[in-house]
Amino acid sequence: MRWALHDALRKCCLGSWAWYKGGDEFAIFLPEPDRAAAEVVFKKILRELMADATVRQWPIGFSAGTAIFNPVPPSVDTALGIADQIMYEVKKSGKNNVVYKEYQAQKRAAAFPGE
């Protein structure tokens, strides 16, 4: 699966990178996307992953919790925690879906949950 994700990112998302978190979870970082760009990118990623899964006859689906930040959180751990919360929402809603949430803040000190 790691290589399938790597290939999907290579085909549609130059400048992005993925991090394997464990189990069936990955984190994908995109350089400065807004919501519209994130939606286009994730549609392409999911299309590539589904095509690869079909060819390999993998009986799997894909879900994504997508957080768009402005400003960027002060740490990777904060960003991953927020994305994880969104991912759990996706899994509770029946999987095979993408949920997008934007985090915009006026004051950095109170911008993100858990800080």
Side-chain angles (χ1 to χ4, degrees), residues 1-75:
M1 180 52 67
R2 291 183 210 182
W3 292 111
L5 179 59
H6 172 77
D7 288 344
L9 288 173
R10 185 179 48 79
K11 290 177 184 176
C12 68
C13 314
L14 293 176
S16 63
W17 56 276
W19 173 53
Y20 175 64
K21 293 181 61 183
D24 62 350
E25 294 188 3
F26 296 83
I28 300 172
F29 294 89
L30 305 172
E32 301 184 37
D34 58 15
R35 183 181 176 127
E39 287 181 11
V40 168
V41 166
F42 272 88
K43 284 180 184 176
K44 289 179 182 178
I45 290 170
L46 292 175
R47 185 173 48 241
E48 291 291 332
L49 289 173
M50 286 306 298
D52 197 30
T54 300
V55 167
R56 296 172 189 261
Q57 298 181 346
W58 291 341
I60 58 176
F62 300 96
S63 300
T66 308
I68 298 110
F69 298 107
N70 184 15
V72 174
S75 73

Side-chain angles (χ1 to χ4, degrees), residues 63-65 82-95 97 99-101 103:
S63 300
I82 292 168
D84 275 347
Q85 290 173 359
I86 300 168
M87 187 69 226
Y88 293 125
E89 289 178 32
V90 174
K91 288 182 177 184
K92 286 179 187 176
S93 71
K95 302 184 181 182
N97 192 14
V99 172
Y100 301 91
K101 290 200 175 180
Y103 291 87

